[in-house]
Amino acid sequence: MLILGIESSCDETGVALVRLPAEPGRVPELLSHALFSQIEMHQAYGGVVPELASRDHIRRVLPLTDEVMQASGRRLQEVDVVAYTRGPGLAGALLVGAGVACALAASLGKSVLGIHHLEGHLLSPFLSQDPPTFPFIALLVSGGHTQLMLVEGVGRYTLLGETIDDAAGEAFDKSAKLMGLGYPGGPALSRLAQAGDPQAFKLPRPLLHSGDLDFSFAGLKTAVLTQARKLGEDLPARKADLAASTQAAIVEVLVKKSMHALRTTGMRRLVVAGGVGANQTLREQLNAACKRLDIRVHYPELHLCTDNGAMIAMAAAMRLQAGVSAASARYAFDVKPRWPLADLQA
Ligand code: KG4
Ligand code: ZN
């Protein structure tokens, strides 16, 4: 079975083709994928402009689909299911992917399946060379979400804790913006941090000792702003130190809470997903902490940490394989810009 996946929830247009093997239990295989990032277009505005994002998805999605089909050596007529991101995300941007997916499937006489964007991230490590097995604890760290979840199977997700304000990616992005590092701030801040001292500034580790698995990052951004103001003219010379200290604060909280989740549930496996999962310091410190506790840790491949079509096609393939979803030939669609993962039933 061939599944085409379309992702258009934010500022990346992603398309991918995944093959679901007939033999039960086999991990679906990524045949090809293509991605267009709109980052450059939004950079001038310091963040994503939703209307511009939607219009650009319209321009990119069909050429990317052609590219994916050509690279795979398959024909569009061979596709069995067209999967698309149904939510959460920017409403207009989601409508482009959903509309194109349903139109494509209708014209080919094939079925469609709407996918939860976070489930895509969550299952993206199954596309790596070292795929996990269920059950596991998932640390989902993206631009909009920071969650710890108990994952017992496809569609069997229990939320253990989440951020009560900003997401980890947002903490990177907002701190980077305060330091004049542009958008998106995560990669820029972590690059600069390599040249800095992570202990140079004492920044808060919100909720570190709260005893639960919730996060809070809004106070950190304020502390970074206060520190930047205090530095005044010295800021340019100390920027790398401030970046390293900010990253250290975010990473320490993510690592400690993940270990707490593993300890309280007795799980022996951790899966990291979402854009912030590309952060090298986070990976190094999680690896070290997991090694101490003899925990296996899995990551998506670096280029599949941030938004892409492969994770959407993969989530669809795994849902179909597990029998928790059926693709449908009803082409009337809606999108869900706000959609808690906990509402997704197996
Ligand atoms: O998963 P994603 O592509 O989009 C959402 O679903 O939100 O995550 C984007 C987020 C942004 O906040 C970006 O700054 C952050 O991931 N990010 C990073 C790194 N690469 C991306 N944060 C820290 N270090 C990185 N290397
Ligand atoms: Zn995402």
Side-chain angles (χ1 to χ4, degrees), residues 6-12 38 48-51 53-54 57 84-98 115-119 121 142-145 307 311-312 334-341:
I6 298 177
E7 154 64 31
S8 70
S9 66
C10 190
D11 58 351
E12 258 105 24
Q38 305 175 354
V48 179
V49 184
E51 180 62 26
S54 312
H57 286 307
Y84 61 92
T85 306
R86 191 177 173 203
L90 303 169
L94 290 166
L95 283 169
V96 175
I115 291 295
H116 195 295
H117 179 83
L118 293 180
E119 185 175 47
H121 277 302
S142 69
H145 293 83
D307 295 348
M311 67 185 200
I312 301 305
D334 63 348
V335 295
K336 291 176 165 250
R338 290 180 179 278
W339 189 9
L341 186 58

Side-chain angles (χ1 to χ4, degrees), residues 6-301:
I6 298 177
E7 154 64 31
S8 70
S9 66
C10 190
D11 58 351
E12 258 105 24
T13 322
V15 180
L17 190 67
V18 159
R19 190 176 78 88
L20 175 56
E23 311 82 51
R26 287 266 308 278
V27 178
E29 176 197 359
L30 178 62
L31 299 184
S32 63
H33 79 114
L35 185 80
F36 183 85
S37 172
Q38 305 175 354
I39 282 176
E40 223 170 275
M41 181 178 75
H42 298 292
Q43 247 156 6
Y45 306 93
V48 179
V49 184
E51 180 62 26
L52 294 183
S54 312
R55 292 181 192 197
D56 207 51
H57 286 307
I58 294 173
R59 280 192 287 271
R60 309 290 173 191
V61 66
L62 288 176
L64 286 172
T65 305
D66 282 340
E67 198 181 319
V68 162
M69 296 315 300
Q70 269 182 19
S72 69
R74 304 295 193 115
R75 289 174 308 118
L76 210 42
Q77 287 72 15
E78 293 177 70
V79 168
D80 299 288
V81 176
V82 185
Y84 61 92
T85 306
R86 191 177 173 203
L90 303 169
L94 290 166
L95 283 169
V96 175
V100 169
C102 291
L104 204 56
S107 68
L108 294 167
K110 303 297 169 75
S111 15
V112 284
L113 183 56
I115 291 295
H116 195 295
H117 179 83
L118 293 180
E119 185 175 47
H121 277 302
L122 195 70
L123 300 177
S124 63
F126 284 91
L127 287 161
S128 72
Q129 295 297 321
D130 176 30
T133 52
F134 299 112
F136 53 77
I137 293 294
L139 171 67
L140 194 65
V141 272
S142 69
H145 293 83
T146 300
Q147 301 185 329
L148 276 163
M149 253 166 312
L150 171 64
V151 178
E152 292 173 284
V154 179
R156 293 169 61 202
Y157 314 130
T158 309
L159 184 66
L160 302 174
E162 64 181 334
T163 183
I164 57 170
D165 42 53
D166 289 353
E170 232 173 329
F172 270 105
D173 292 340
K174 288 180 176 171
S175 303
K177 201 169 185 177
L178 293 172
M179 291 183 225
L181 296 180
Y183 158 86
L189 191 146
S190 67
R191 252 193 317 276
L192 183 63
Q194 284 172 3
D197 173 7
Q199 285 166 350
F201 300 104
K202 265 199 159 38
L203 295 172
R205 267 74 168 151
L207 300 188
L208 187 60
H209 302 294
S210 60
D212 59 21
L213 295 168
D214 286 336
F215 302 86
S216 163
F217 291 108
L220 178 62
K221 165 193 67 196
T222 313
V224 172
L225 179 62
T226 308
Q227 192 59 61
R229 285 202 178 129
K230 222 190 272 175
L231 283 167
E233 283 181 1
D234 292 336
L235 179 61
R238 302 296 308 279
K239 227 184 232 185
D241 284 342
L242 189 54
S245 302
T246 305
Q247 176 173 264
I250 299 170
V251 166
E252 184 180 344
V253 178
L254 294 177
V255 173
K256 293 242 164 94
K257 294 271 176 171
S258 300
M259 296 308 119
H260 187 43
L262 287 156
R263 244 183 263 114
T264 51
T265 56
M267 288 289 135
R268 313 294 307 156
R269 206 178 276 278
L270 177 68
V271 163
V272 183
V276 181
N279 186 276
Q280 282 307 329
T281 305
L282 176 65
R283 288 187 175 213
E284 282 160 22
Q285 297 197 14
L286 277 175
N287 288 346
C290 286
K291 200 167 175 203
R292 279 195 294 275
L293 296 180
D294 198 24
I295 300 284
R296 284 288 310 275
V297 56
H298 301 261
Y299 304 94
E301 292 190 17

